[in-house]
């Protein structure tokens, strides 16, 4: 038998040739990650050099199209959002008049002046009062309406369009109608109260009644809109979870509070944040609630909100510096409220998640020990099936929250 031996490659030195026992013979040069990257770059440059014009256009389209798609939003935001915000801060540092323009540089003097102005704190109190009177009933009513529309009722489309009709009406028309209805002498509300032998209410001259009247406008217009958003979230909840809970013996109210509400928590956070922003920026309703009043917000400023006070400072007193300072303080207040809503909702979610895990662990331990959730023996198959159904329901709910 003949053995063929392949001689090692010549490395340019005769000392390592022949036997192949030298360290430099028969071994390929080691490749480092840097050399691999350089090789790939050379290959990419070569491939790009050989591309046709159409292939280059297609390659550019794949890389640049996403940036072109999102560019309009950032351009518009920079023009109508970011630039006015920065420019308003610059104006707030000056003694700025509407007609003469920029004047003396005062720094944070406008902020200090507003923080010591009782009219500013009065407007902030009115804003918070109207916001609470409108946001809380609005959210409760929206959840209630969404829960009804989520049921199997007749003419679903008609009722869904009906709750959206108040949102379609312009705020000016809504304010004028409600202003006439809440008129102190000839208004519909006081006429109805007098028909039941009740004394009329001073809706436009007293503080709390005026806040209730303005909050009713906001609730009438925005409740249906928020209800449709919550309805869309409720319909996205898997129906098999409700069916499993129903088979396990859970009633409609128990399913609603244990499955539906926890499942729509992200949408609830969105609705709460948008309602907070809109409530703290309310302007049209208090501005047109009493058109005959010479002072914006009532004769004693009893329902003058912060935005209305800002408008009065800018266009009636022509002090744009202080008005810009008010705008920035309101912006910071809205940011604080948004952060608080986020932290509270996350805290509630984490607490409920821990409680659900403990409940699931107890059910699993009871199932393995042959007892039901109440500690009784469960030898029958029905009890075992119910326990398994409860475990499946708890696991599905936990997976949905995650």
């Amino acid at each position: 038998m003949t053995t063929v031996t392949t001689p090692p490659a010549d490395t340019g030195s005769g000392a390592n040739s022949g036997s192949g026992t030298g360290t430099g013979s028969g071994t390929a040069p080691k490749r480092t990650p840097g050399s691999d990257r350089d090789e790939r770059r050379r290959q990419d440059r070569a491939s790009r050099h050989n591309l046709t014009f159409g292939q280059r256009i297609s390659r550019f389209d794949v890389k640049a199209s996403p940036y072109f798609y999102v560019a309009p939003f950032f351009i518009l935001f920079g023009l109508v959002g970011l630039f006015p915000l920065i420019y308003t801060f610059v104006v707030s540092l000056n003694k700025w008049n509407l007609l003469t323009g920029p004047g003396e540089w005062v720094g944070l003097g406008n902020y200090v002046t507003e923080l010591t102005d009782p009219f500013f704190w009065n407007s902030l109190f009115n804003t918070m009062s109207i916001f609470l009177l409108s946001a809380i009933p609005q959210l409760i009513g929206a959840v209630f309406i969404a829960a009804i529309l989520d049921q199997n009722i007749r003419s679903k489309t008609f009722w869904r369009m009906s709750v959206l009709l108040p949102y379609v009406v312009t705020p000016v028309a809504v304010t004028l109608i409600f202003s006439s209805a809440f008129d102190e002498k000839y208004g519909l509300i006081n006429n109805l109260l007098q028909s039941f032998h009740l004394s009329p209410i001073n809706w436009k001259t007293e503080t709390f009644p005026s806040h209730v009247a303005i909050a009713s406008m906001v609730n009438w217009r925005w409740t249906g809109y928020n209800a449709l958003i919550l309805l869309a979230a409720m319909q996205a909840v898997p129906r098999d979870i409700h069916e499993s809970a129903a088979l396990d013996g859970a009633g409609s109210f128990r399913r609603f509070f244990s499955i539906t509400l926890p499942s729509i928590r992200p949408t609830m956070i969105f609705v709460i944040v948008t309602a907070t922003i809109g409530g703290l920026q309310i302007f049209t309703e208090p501005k047109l609630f009493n058109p005959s009043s010479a002072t914006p917000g009532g004769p004693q400023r009893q329902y003058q909100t912060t935005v209305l006070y800002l408008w009065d400072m800018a266009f009636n007193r022509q002090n744009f510096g202080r008005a810009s300072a008010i705008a920035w303080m309101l912006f910071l207040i809205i940011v604080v409220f948004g952060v608080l809503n986020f932290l509270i909702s996350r805290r509630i979610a984490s607490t409920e998640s821990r409680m659900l895990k403990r409940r699931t662990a107890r059910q699993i331990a009871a199932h393995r020990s042959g007892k039901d959730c109440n500690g009784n023996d469960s030898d029958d198959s029905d009890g075992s099936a119910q326990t398994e159904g409860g475990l499946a329901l708890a696991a599905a709910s936990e997976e949905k929250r995650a």
Side-chain angles (χ1 to χ4, degrees):
M1 181 176 63
T2 304
T3 302
V4 179
T5 304
T6 303
D10 189 8
T11 59
S13 175
N16 295 329
S17 60
S19 63
T21 59
T23 58
S25 63
T27 58
K30 295 182 179 180
R31 300 181 63 88
T32 62
S35 62
D36 292 339
R37 286 194 298 268
D38 294 338
E39 182 66 23
R40 285 196 298 269
R41 290 174 183 172
R42 286 193 294 269
Q43 293 177 358
D44 291 339
R45 284 196 295 267
S47 62
R48 285 197 300 267
H49 182 72
N50 297 328
L51 290 177
T52 63
F53 179 76
Q55 291 174 337
R56 292 182 180 181
I57 293 295
S58 177
R59 193 183 183 98
F60 175 78
D61 178 61
V62 171
K63 291 184 177 181
S65 291
Y67 299 99
F68 284 110
Y69 292 150
V70 301
F73 165 78
F74 290 99
I75 294 175
L76 290 176
F77 174 74
L79 292 177
V80 303
L82 186 61
F83 173 74
L85 189 65
I86 298 175
Y87 192 73
T88 302
F89 180 73
V90 174
V91 173
S92 68
L93 301 178
N94 294 270
K95 190 175 182 180
W96 201 292
N97 186 271
L98 178 61
L99 299 178
T100 61
E104 180 185 357
W105 173 273
V106 295
L108 300 178
N110 289 326
Y111 294 90
V112 176
T113 303
E114 287 302 323
L115 290 176
T116 57
D117 191 348
F119 288 154
F120 171 75
W121 294 106
N122 173 72
S123 68
L124 194 60
F125 168 77
N126 294 334
T127 302
M128 295 298 176
S129 176
I130 296 173
F131 162 68
L132 294 176
L133 290 173
S134 60
I136 297 176
Q138 179 187 145
L139 295 175
I140 295 175
V143 172
F144 178 74
I145 294 173
I148 293 178
L149 295 178
D150 193 35
Q151 304 301 318
N152 189 15
I153 59 177
R154 295 182 179 181
S155 305
K156 293 182 179 179
T157 305
F158 170 77
W159 293 113
R160 292 172 185 174
M161 293 300 298
S162 299
V163 299
L164 192 61
L165 284 178
Y167 176 74
V168 179
V169 183
T170 60
V172 176
V174 173
T175 305
L176 293 177
I177 293 173
F178 275 80
S179 177
S180 177
F182 283 103
D183 190 75
E184 296 178 353
K185 292 183 179 180
Y186 308 106
L188 175 63
I189 306 299
N190 280 344
N191 289 336
L192 290 177
L193 293 176
Q194 290 176 358
S195 64
F196 289 100
H197 304 286
L198 298 174
S199 59
I201 300 176
N202 297 325
W203 297 105
K204 297 184 178 181
T205 55
E206 296 183 3
T207 302
F208 184 73
S210 63
H211 293 181
V212 173
I214 295 174
S216 64
M217 305 181 202
V218 180
N219 293 333
W220 186 83
R221 186 167 185 265
W222 288 97
T223 301
Y225 173 82
N226 291 328
L228 288 185
I229 295 179
L230 295 175
L231 174 63
M234 290 181 184
Q235 291 185 337
V237 179
R239 295 298 174 183
D240 55 353
I241 300 179
H242 290 274
E243 294 174 358
S244 301
L247 292 175
D248 197 44
S252 57
F253 285 95
R254 176 63 182 276
R255 295 198 304 270
F256 178 76
F257 286 102
S258 299
I259 298 176
T260 304
L261 286 183
S263 300
I264 66 171
R265 182 180 291 109
T267 307
M268 285 289 295
I269 296 174
F270 168 78
V271 171
I272 291 173
V273 171
T274 54
T276 302
I277 296 174
L280 296 179
Q281 292 180 343
I282 184 171
F283 170 76
T284 306
E285 290 81 357
K287 177 66 174 64
L288 300 178
F289 181 58
N290 189 7
S292 61
S293 176
T295 304
Q300 289 82 34
R301 303 177 185 265
Q302 63 270 19
Y303 54 89
Q304 185 182 69
T305 59
T306 305
V307 179
L308 188 56
Y309 173 62
L310 183 156
W311 177 87
D312 180 50
M313 180 66 67
F315 296 100
N316 289 343
R317 305 188 193 182
Q318 299 185 1
N319 193 333
F320 264 58
R322 291 180 60 181
S324 300
I326 297 169
W328 258 91
M329 287 190 289
L330 181 61
F331 168 73
L332 295 177
I333 291 172
I334 292 175
V335 171
V336 170
F337 268 81
V339 172
L340 288 178
N341 287 331
F342 173 75
L343 294 177
I344 292 173
S345 60
R346 189 174 66 174
R347 179 68 177 176
I348 294 174
S350 61
T351 302
E352 291 185 355
S353 178
R354 289 194 298 268
M355 293 175 60
L356 180 63
K357 289 181 180 179
R358 295 194 191 101
R359 190 182 305 115
T360 305
R362 287 197 300 267
Q363 291 178 350
I364 293 175
H367 177 66
R368 289 176 177 176
S369 62
K371 296 182 179 181
D372 57 14
C373 297
N374 296 324
N376 302 322
D377 294 333
S378 56
D379 296 333
D380 56 326
S381 59
D382 294 339
S384 178
Q386 290 182 358
T387 305
E388 292 178 357
L391 295 176
L393 174 61
S397 300
E398 184 176 0
E399 181 180 359
K400 181 64 179 177
R401 287 186 180 90

